[in-house]
Amino acid sequence: MCIRAAEIEDSITIAEILADGFHSNMGLYNWLYPVVRLGIYEDVKNRLISPTYRYICLVATNTNSLGGEYLLGTVEIAVKSPLFWEAEPHKPYVYISNLAVDRDYRRQGIAKKLLEVCEAKACQWGFREIYLHVLDNNQEARQLYLNLGYRLKQAESSWSWLWFKQPNRLLLCKSLSACSATDNSMSFS
Ligand SMILES: CC(C)(COP(=O)(O)OP(=O)(O)OC[C@H]1O[C@@H](n2cnc3c(N)ncnc32)[C@H](O)[C@@H]1OP(=O)(O)O)[C@@H](O)C(=O)NCCC(=O)NCCS
């Protein structure tokens, strides 16, 4: 497996992995699914065409017997400024989003590896903490983050929970105590 920065040509496959990872295509949602996937594709492509400072989209890839490359999973990492309504964190922070692994390749340590590279990148940028959100009903992801040392910083309930029974978002944080000030250990493969 290799982990590298995503290129614009990866946008379609990244959108497929994200749409499948985060959206249902069952029953009534089936007709909406292509629209959702197209929206994700446009968002990903735009982020890759004009990346902001300290933003990176990573992909995990493998090669087949003919030497062709295929994507296994993806994640994004960026430095964010706190929004005024956010209780935590109070200063610029490194934030992980859109972590998803193709369902055919799950439970092979791909998400773990992608997160490790994100953590190394955060260290390289000079940060000592890393943040992400997970829905409280996403048991697989919560287990993954718990095992890797992410801890609950804040539970965020919203009005939509009351009206639409949407799950709460949990803000998790990991202290990157292992990284030194001059950490250059990010390995992409
Ligand atoms: C969550 C997700 C990214 C995990 O990807 P993955 O590559 O399968 O995860 P890994 O193989 O690296 O798993 C590492 C550890 O996480 C935990 N874990 C991962 N998937 C799990 C599952 N289905 N059930 C229980 N624990 C799980 C396990 O502890 C696992 O270690 P183990 O396999 O040695 O027991 C993947 O299931 C996915 O894409 N889900 C849909 C999108 C999503 O929910 N993303 C997270 C948004 S916050």
Side-chain angles (χ1 to χ4, degrees):
M1 178 178 57
C2 162
I3 294 181
R4 61 166 173 81
E7 292 160 9
I8 292 157
E9 298 70 44
D10 299 319
S11 304
I12 292 178
T13 317
I14 292 173
E16 279 167 4
I17 294 173
L18 290 176
D20 184 49
F22 291 102
H23 299 275
S24 169
N25 63 357
M26 306 296 278
L28 279 178
Y29 293 106
N30 193 25
W31 65 271
L32 199 60
Y33 188 76
V35 182
V36 169
R37 192 176 48 198
L38 181 64
I40 295 173
Y41 164 70
E42 290 295 337
D43 284 348
V44 170
K45 191 179 68 177
N46 287 334
R47 285 198 292 276
L48 291 176
I49 286 174
S50 6
T52 51
Y53 179 56
R54 286 182 168 172
Y55 160 84
I56 190 164
C57 175
L58 298 171
V59 286
T61 68
N62 217 341
T63 42
N64 61 28
S65 53
L66 300 172
E69 188 192 50
Y70 54 96
L71 265 57
L72 308 167
T74 182
V75 68
E76 290 171 65
I77 173 173
V79 175
K80 303 234 176 220
S81 294
L83 300 169
F84 72 89
W85 61 82
E86 288 176 339
E88 291 279 355
H90 303 296
K91 46 184 194 274
Y93 59 100
V94 179
Y95 186 73
I96 287 175
S97 60
N98 286 338
L99 170 67
V101 172
D102 185 319
R103 61 176 72 245
D104 291 341
Y105 304 104
R106 290 182 187 167
R107 298 306 290 266
Q108 297 177 28
I110 294 164
K112 182 170 179 278
K113 187 70 194 163
L114 283 165
L115 288 168
E116 284 169 0
V117 175
C118 288
E119 291 165 18
K121 191 72 190 164
C123 286
Q124 205 181 47
W125 286 342
F127 289 81
R128 296 292 169 268
E129 283 179 331
I130 195 160
Y131 290 83
L132 56 83
H133 277 105
V134 63
L135 295 179
D136 69 0
N137 66 346
N138 190 343
Q139 296 304 334
E140 297 86 4
R142 287 183 64 179
Q143 189 60 51
L144 165 74
Y145 299 135
L146 182 70
N147 288 358
L148 290 178
Y150 289 78
R151 296 293 176 258
L152 180 66
K153 188 82 177 175
Q154 184 180 295
E156 299 172 359
S157 50
S158 70
W159 291 107
S160 61
W161 182 83
L162 286 174
W163 292 332
F164 305 112
K165 291 278 179 268
Q166 292 295 306
N168 287 334
R169 291 200 320 161
L170 308 176
L171 179 67
L172 307 188
C173 174
K174 179 173 179 178
S175 174
L176 304 173
S177 48
C179 62
S180 69
T182 54
D183 198 312
N184 277 321
S185 61
M186 185 174 65
S187 159
F188 270 35
S189 58

